[in-house]
Amino acid sequence: MTSTAIAFAVGALLLYGGWAVAASVATRSLSPVNAVLLSYVASLVVVGGYAVSTRQPLAGARIDVAFALASGVMLAAGAVFFYTALGQGNVAVVSAISALYFIIPVIAGVLYFDAVLSTTNLVGIALAVVAVVLISA
């Protein structure tokens, strides 16, 4: 993995962490659906501005466009669930549980994309689950 990819991944980590904290604060007085709506309006401004500034054409295979749209639907529904959970629970617990989302692509990778998990990978997943259980306790 290149150092640029690692730098962007660290940036994503910091921004996702900030997103969870800001979302938790937003749900103090906003309903989860209104908090998600406002956050998605802001997201459209950022992503739209980035797309316009980079002049990326909206082109791709139909199946890939369909999957991009499906991922947006899942992201939006997941955000509503996440904000609802934040409005009713502790940000540390809610964020820790939802951070286990990586297990889904791991399973899909093994079942559909011929990914192979090593013993180290399995131990890492188990330790992540244990960490979430400990944080939630």
Side-chain angles (χ1 to χ4, degrees):
M1 187 179 305
T2 68
S3 60
T4 304
I6 292 170
F8 277 109
V10 170
L13 174 147
L14 296 171
L15 291 167
Y16 285 148
W19 166 70
V21 172
S24 180
V25 172
T27 57
R28 290 186 304 189
S29 66
L30 289 169
S31 71
V33 74
N34 286 333
V36 171
L37 176 65
L38 291 172
S39 73
Y40 273 51
V41 168
S43 297
L44 281 172
V45 169
V46 172
V47 174
Y50 180 73
V52 167
S53 72
T54 60
R55 300 176 187 207
Q56 299 274 331
L58 185 57
R62 285 186 180 160
I63 189 70
D64 295 337
V65 170
F67 272 99
L69 293 170
S71 74
V73 168
M74 288 184 267
L75 182 61
V80 170
F81 277 51
F82 182 73
Y83 279 65
T84 301
L86 287 174
Q88 298 175 10
N90 180 305
V91 66
V93 174
V94 170
S95 294
I97 291 170
S98 65
L100 286 174
Y101 76 88
F102 73 88
I103 292 173
I104 304 303
V106 168
I107 292 168
V110 169
L111 294 178
Y112 300 107
F113 300 107
D114 299 325
V116 178
L117 295 178
S118 68
T119 302
T120 304
N121 299 141
L122 294 172
V123 169
I125 291 168
L127 289 173
V129 171
V130 168
V132 168
V133 169
L134 292 173
I135 289 169
S136 301

